[in-house]
Amino acid sequence: MTTQGIKTVLHPVSDIAAAKEVYTALLGVPPQTDESYYVGFEVEGQHIGLVPGGGPQAMTSPVAYWHVPDIEAKIAEVTAAGATVKEAAHDVGGGRLVATVTDPDGNVLGLLQDR
């Protein structure tokens, strides 16, 4: 099964207000979502998110999310190939499912399915 490409990248930040200013300047648009727990930008078909403190998933580096049509099938496919589930698929609102896996070197790969 093919992916729909990387369309979402989340960045852990220590100071969301300061990071919001930098990313607004970088991207040239104001955030679409601006909350204390998450700031998100939509630019040229990509979503860039800022997550204070790495969020509940304790991110320590940016995570790129591969968009897939069937997240459970893709998890099964990549774990059969040697990946390990880090964060099981779960709904983050609006019917959006996310999960993370790690490759054999420990790199975190995000998976995202919109229902």
Side-chain angles (χ1 to χ4, degrees), residues 48-101:
I48 305 300
L50 308 177
V51 183
Q57 61 273 46
M59 295 169 30
T60 58
S61 63
V63 176
Y65 282 80
W66 295 85
H67 288 232
V68 297
D70 183 337
I71 199 166
E72 293 297 343
K74 185 53 75 177
I75 290 170
E77 187 177 352
V78 298
T79 56
T84 302
V85 174
K86 180 174 177 14
E87 181 183 21
H90 62 282
D91 194 311
V92 293
R96 177 169 278 186
L97 301 174
V98 299
T100 54
V101 298

Side-chain angles (χ1 to χ4, degrees), residues 1 14 16 27 30-31 34 42 55 66 76 84-85 93 101 104 106 109 115:
M1 174 192 345
S14 59
I16 198 157
L27 301 171
D34 191 354
E42 297 290 336
W66 295 85
T84 302
V85 174
V101 298
L109 308 170
R115 290 194 250 177

Side-chain angles (χ1 to χ4, degrees), residues 26-38:
L26 172 68
L27 301 171
V29 297
Q32 178 188 24
T33 304
D34 191 354
E35 302 292 340
S36 62
Y37 59 89
Y38 187 80

